[in-house]
């Protein structure tokens, strides 16, 4: 397996954690600079500030538009960045001979963001356009409604990019303070993968990030149980050709022993063309072009989410079939064939993806930033292979209760439409 057990790591005195993974078969090098600070730790009045900072990292002075991205592209590379609830990352992939130059550019971006006032106003307009684009997407409306219900009054339930009002109110001082906290030493992980000598790579990473102030490690507020949501189904009227639905609920968190069993359950339901929901909704009933299931994590919670779209006239039937399949999983379990396909598909997907230096660099950065016990790729594969069908069925019974799902649908909905909201479990009154 590419990169198997070869990563070397070092923590600098200022807290920056360095990871170098040699991959001799590739002619490229990928660098990920990750911050443990994401949108999920923002106070309400600063919603969207982390995402705004991520955008501003790419801007220098007004007379140098696109300078950082152009510098990477002149090296033959590509650069991108992303903000998540618990992570912000800048990622670069370049030919191996150019990676040290790329490192200097990315280190400059995160260590010394210019925050030019004119550039802030330009980017503010860009982000407001991004929010408007998100607002135009019915599938995003459904997704956001579910998240807001899962995590009411917590940043995990808010839009990562913020709101129109919060983005308009963010000041330069707020952006500078957030940038300093995000890339303080105790919040920063630098992961590089590709064709290089790992000891020398760690030395170069250390030279680039050794002077960063230590700062304080990011803290996320606890999620308090708010009891049963008053509304389990959200109907959102939107102009669209299709009706979009999002069905979700809590599952085991990162530290739970049931975690990998539930993740395989998600693969049984909605990963690949052979997944149960794909076979039912698309192949057997012709109700949906796209349907999928995924398990994600925020804080101590996991979330199994099922997302799809269908003709508005067929919406009730499509949702009923999804809930029926969830009920069947609880009552009768997954079959041996379903289980074996899902496990092989999951393991194979991991192995295939790890041929890419960008995936390997991101893997180690995310593990170090997010996981209570970071794993190597081969260790994770071992845990997935150790899951049994009995484990998957037991986890389904433990977590998928009658009132488990939250449901949001968005599109041109009939005012009289009735969306089923509960699992029909046998023997449950």
């Amino acid at each position: 397996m590419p990169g198997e057990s070869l990563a070397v790591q070092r923590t600098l005195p200022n807290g920056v954690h360095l990871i170098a993974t040699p991959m001799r078969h590739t002619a490229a090098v990928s660098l990920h600079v990750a911050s443990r600070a994401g949108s999920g730790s923002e106070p309400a009045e600063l919603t969207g500030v982390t995402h705004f900072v991520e955008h501003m990292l790419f801007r220098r002075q007004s007379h140098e538009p696109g300078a950082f991205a152009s510098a990477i592209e002149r090296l033959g590379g590509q650069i991108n960045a992303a903000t998540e609830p618990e992570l912000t990352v800048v990622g670069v992939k370049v030919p191996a001979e150019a990676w040290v130059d790329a490192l200097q550019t990315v280190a400059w971006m995160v260590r010394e963001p210019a925050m030019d006032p004119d550039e802030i106003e330009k980017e503010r307009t860009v982000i407001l356009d991004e929010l408007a684009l998100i607002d135009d997407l019915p599938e995003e409306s459904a997704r956001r409604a579910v998240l807001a219900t899962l995590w009411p009054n917590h940043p995990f339930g808010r839009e990562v990019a913020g709101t129109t009002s919060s983005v308009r109110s963010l000041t330069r001082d707020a952006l500078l303070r957030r940038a300093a906290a995000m890339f303080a030493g105790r919040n920063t992980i630098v992961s590089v993968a590709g064709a290089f000598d790992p000891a020398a790579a760690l030395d170069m990473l250390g030279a680039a990030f050794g002077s960063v102030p230590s700062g304080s490690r990011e803290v996320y507020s606890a999620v308090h149980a708010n009891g049963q949501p008053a509304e389990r189904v959200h109907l959102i009227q939107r102009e669209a050709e299709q009706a979009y639905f999002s069905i979700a609920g809590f599952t085991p968190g990162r530290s739970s022993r049931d975690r990998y069993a539930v993740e395989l359950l998600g693969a049984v339901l909605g990963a690949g063309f052979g997944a149960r929901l794909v076979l039912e909704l698309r192949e057997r009933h012709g109700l949906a072009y796209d349907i999928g299931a995924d398990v994600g994590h925020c804080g101590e919670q996991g979330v199994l989410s099922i997302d799809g779209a269908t003709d508005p006239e067929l919406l009730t039937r499509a949702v009923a079939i999804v809930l029926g399949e969830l009920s069947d999983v609880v009552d009768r379990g997954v079959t041996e064939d379903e289980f074996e396909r899902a496990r092989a598909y999951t393991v194979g997907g991991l192995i295939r993806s790890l041929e890419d230096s960008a995936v390997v660099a991101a893997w180690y950065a995310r593990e170090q930033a997010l996981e209570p016990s970071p794993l190597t790729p081969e260790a994770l594969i071992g845990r997935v292979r150790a899951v049994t069908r009995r484990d998957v069925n037991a986890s389904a019974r433990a977590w998928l209760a009658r009132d488990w799902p939250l449901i949001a649908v968005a599109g041109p909905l009939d005012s009289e439409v009735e969306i089923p909201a509960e699992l029909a479990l046998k023997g449950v009154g």
Side-chain angles (χ1 to χ4, degrees):
M1 184 186 306
E4 184 172 0
S5 299
L6 296 177
V8 293
Q9 306 192 35
R10 180 186 303 168
T11 301
L12 301 178
N14 61 358
V16 176
H17 191 83
L18 311 177
I19 309 166
T21 309
M23 301 176 67
R24 304 300 182 191
H25 70 282
T26 179
V29 170
S30 295
L31 170 72
H32 279 241
V33 179
S35 167
R36 291 186 172 96
S39 65
S41 58
E42 298 168 346
E45 66 274 15
L46 296 178
T47 299
V49 66
T50 309
H51 175 261
F52 205 138
V53 168
E54 176 231 304
H55 276 232
M56 289 303 301
L57 297 178
F58 286 80
R59 289 185 175 267
R60 285 178 66 178
Q61 306 300 321
S62 294
H63 62 281
E64 300 177 293
F68 287 127
S70 295
I72 297 298
E73 291 170 1
R74 282 195 296 270
L75 296 173
Q78 59 184 20
I79 184 170
N80 209 338
T83 305
E84 302 175 18
E86 298 175 283
L87 188 74
T88 306
V89 64
V90 179
V92 171
K93 186 175 185 179
V94 295
E97 64 272 14
W99 90 266
V100 176
D101 291 333
L103 167 64
Q104 300 309 314
T105 297
V106 175
W108 189 2
M109 289 173 64
V110 302
R111 286 191 327 235
E112 302 177 41
M115 299 295 178
D116 179 282
D118 291 337
E119 295 299 285
I120 288 173
E121 295 312 312
K122 294 175 188 174
E123 201 59 42
R124 195 188 309 274
T125 300
V126 169
I127 295 171
L128 290 172
D129 285 344
E130 180 182 357
L131 286 171
L133 174 63
I134 294 171
D135 286 340
D136 282 344
L137 301 174
E139 61 269 36
E140 287 298 312
S141 296
R143 179 189 66 85
R144 287 194 289 184
V146 166
L147 293 179
T149 307
L150 286 170
W151 287 291
N153 304 314
H154 192 281
F156 288 160
R158 301 177 194 146
E159 169 57 46
V160 166
T163 66
T164 298
S165 60
S166 69
V167 169
R168 284 177 173 158
S169 68
L170 292 171
T171 66
R172 180 174 185 269
D173 284 345
L175 295 173
L176 284 169
R177 286 193 300 271
R178 186 56 172 168
M182 287 167 63
F183 293 100
R186 292 190 175 95
N187 285 328
T188 302
I189 301 101
V190 187
S191 175
V192 62
F196 50 65
D197 173 77
L202 286 183
D203 289 341
M204 284 183 276
L205 297 178
F209 288 91
S211 62
V212 172
S214 298
S216 301
R217 181 150 175 170
E218 195 71 2
V219 176
Y220 290 82
S221 60
V223 178
H224 300 289
N226 289 278
Q228 192 76 358
E231 296 182 57
R232 303 198 64 80
V233 178
H234 297 262
L235 304 181
I236 305 165
Q237 286 287 348
R238 299 298 303 273
E239 292 186 9
E241 293 297 319
Q242 288 199 300
Y244 295 83
F245 57 87
S246 185
I247 301 170
F250 285 127
T251 58
R254 293 187 177 104
S255 299
S256 171
R257 62 177 183 150
D258 292 335
R259 168 184 177 173
Y260 301 108
V262 171
E263 290 181 5
L264 279 183
L265 173 62
V268 166
L269 291 169
F273 286 112
R276 180 186 281 219
L277 293 177
V278 177
L279 293 178
E280 284 298 318
L281 269 75
R282 176 172 173 154
E283 301 300 328
R284 294 194 175 98
H285 297 282
L287 292 177
Y289 169 73
D290 187 35
I291 176 75
D294 183 58
V295 177
H297 295 87
C298 278
E300 295 302 314
Q301 288 81 29
V303 173
L304 170 61
S305 58
I306 299 163
D307 298 286
T310 190
D311 185 291
E313 297 296 324
L314 304 173
L315 174 63
T316 298
R317 183 181 175 201
V319 172
I321 288 174
V322 173
L323 298 184
E325 293 305 316
L326 292 174
S327 301
D328 186 71
V329 163
V330 176
D331 289 332
R332 297 197 301 172
V334 304
T335 68
E336 188 67 29
D337 182 66
E338 285 180 312
F339 169 73
E340 293 293 346
R341 183 209 68 88
R343 187 170 61 177
Y345 185 82
T346 300
V347 170
L350 286 167
I351 293 172
R352 294 193 309 271
S353 69
L354 290 167
E355 294 185 354
D356 186 343
S357 62
V359 173
V360 174
W363 172 282
Y364 282 101
R366 294 181 68 85
E367 285 288 309
Q368 191 64 38
L370 299 174
E371 297 295 337
S373 299
L375 298 177
T376 63
E378 65 271 20
L380 174 64
I381 287 171
R383 293 199 180 185
V384 174
R385 283 178 168 155
V387 175
T388 67
R389 181 166 72 102
R390 178 176 293 180
D391 295 331
V392 173
N393 289 335
S395 291
R397 290 192 298 270
W399 289 91
L400 301 182
R402 176 186 288 276
D403 60 356
W404 173 84
L406 299 173
I407 302 173
V409 296
L413 305 175
D414 187 313
S415 60
E416 303 298 320
V417 66
E418 293 187 11
I419 304 298
E422 294 185 336
L423 304 189
L425 303 180
K426 295 178 182 177
V428 177

